[in-house]
Amino acid sequence: MAKFTMPVETKTPLVLLSGLAADARIFTPQKVAFPQLRCPVWSPPHRQESIDEYAQRLAETLDPGPCVIGGASFGGIVALHLAEHVDAQAVILIGSIKSPSQLPVYARCARPFRFLIPFLPIRFLQLLSRPMTARRLKRITPFAHGLACQFRDSDPRVFKWSLSRILDWSLAPVPSCPVYHLHGDRDWTLPVKYTDPDKVVVGAGHVLSLTHPDEVNSYLKNVLSQKSLE
């Protein structure tokens, strides 16, 4: 894993949303490089709340002023909707997608079975993941350990809602600001072949914010620098 980059000198507010079963820890390298970074906590969704309704409610808690927003995976999808409710100067997708047409085949095939999501035993699965969260494994497999800890600590309500919204996502917003897209060429969750990113990181998988922090931070820096000069 690459070393974290030093703090970047730009004051443009940056808001990044984590993905499914993840939290702000997924952006730990970015927090080091961008002191102005905010990573909102996923609050419990309202019953049958749409992505846009959730994004509007999230915007009311942020009030960041002119800013650059973005997200990883599902967080990027929500960021596209959030852009309609805040003064977004740009949206940055990190291992995410721009529209439902870019969902992989397995996700589209799973749509008819969305009604089963409320019955998923998330609490039980979190218990099964506990061995991977043992402290001794942190030294052996820090990356897997970190992801397991995030899944263990995730809210089952948020997890099920997010999964449902991914499967019933049918209409992508078209933000009035530019959309930038960074993707890994070894992303098996959201394969790059279904997307059209602006930049592809060679050797990076789905969680490139952690595995390739220098590349991600450099990309964020370039976007923020552009916006600070405008």
Side-chain angles (χ1 to χ4, degrees):
M1 184 180 295
K3 295 181 180 180
F4 297 173
T5 53
M6 294 299 291
V8 175
E9 294 185 4
T10 173
K11 296 182 180 180
T12 304
L14 175 63
V15 179
L16 294 179
L17 305 176
S18 57
L20 180 66
D23 55 35
R25 284 172 284 186
I26 203 171
F27 295 124
T28 298
Q30 287 68 54
K31 283 187 173 181
V32 174
F34 303 95
Q36 78 275 33
L37 172 60
R38 295 176 62 183
C39 300
V41 175
W42 290 103
S43 62
H46 295 162
R47 184 177 177 84
Q48 297 301 316
E49 190 171 29
S50 68
I51 296 179
D52 194 67
E53 290 169 337
Y54 186 93
Q56 184 174 4
R57 190 159 57 87
L58 175 61
E60 294 171 355
T61 69
L62 292 176
D63 190 24
C67 61
V68 170
I69 64 174
S73 193
F74 179 65
I77 294 174
V78 177
L80 289 171
H81 289 263
L82 181 62
E84 298 190 317
H85 303 290
V86 298
D87 187 4
Q89 305 301 297
V91 177
I92 304 176
L93 305 181
I94 305 172
S96 187
I97 54 178
K98 297 185 181 78
S99 71
S101 64
Q102 296 183 346
L103 283 168
V105 173
Y106 73 82
R108 282 175 271 173
C109 291
R111 281 175 168 168
F113 304 100
R114 186 175 62 84
F115 70 95
L116 295 174
I117 292 176
F119 304 103
L120 289 177
I122 302 302
R123 290 291 189 194
F124 178 67
L125 294 175
Q126 288 174 320
L127 287 174
L128 292 180
S129 72
R130 289 186 69 85
M132 285 299 297
T133 65
R135 186 171 301 178
R136 65 180 181 276
L137 289 180
K138 185 176 182 179
R139 297 189 297 270
I140 303 171
T141 58
F143 180 63
H145 173 272
L147 293 183
C149 287
Q150 291 186 61
F151 175 64
R152 176 201 62 192
D153 299 337
S154 64
D155 186 331
R157 294 170 296 177
V158 174
F159 185 94
K160 292 180 180 181
W161 174 81
S162 301
L163 192 55
S164 294
R165 296 296 77 81
I166 291 172
L167 295 185
D168 66 14
W169 192 39
S170 60
L171 184 63
V174 181
S176 58
C177 61
V179 177
Y180 300 88
H181 185 181
L182 181 69
H183 216 92
D185 70 339
R186 297 184 182 179
D187 189 329
W188 312 129
T189 303
L190 296 173
V192 68
K193 66 180 180 180
Y194 297 116
T195 71
D196 58 344
D198 300 302
K199 182 177 176 60
V200 175
V201 179
V202 177
H206 192 54
V207 195
L208 63 167
S209 60
L210 286 177
T211 61
H212 292 70
D214 286 343
E215 290 87 342
V216 172
N217 290 352
S218 177
Y219 192 77
L220 292 171
K221 177 184 177 181
N222 288 338
V223 175
L224 289 168
S225 297
Q226 289 179 36
K227 296 305 159 186
S228 64
L229 293 174
E230 292 179 356

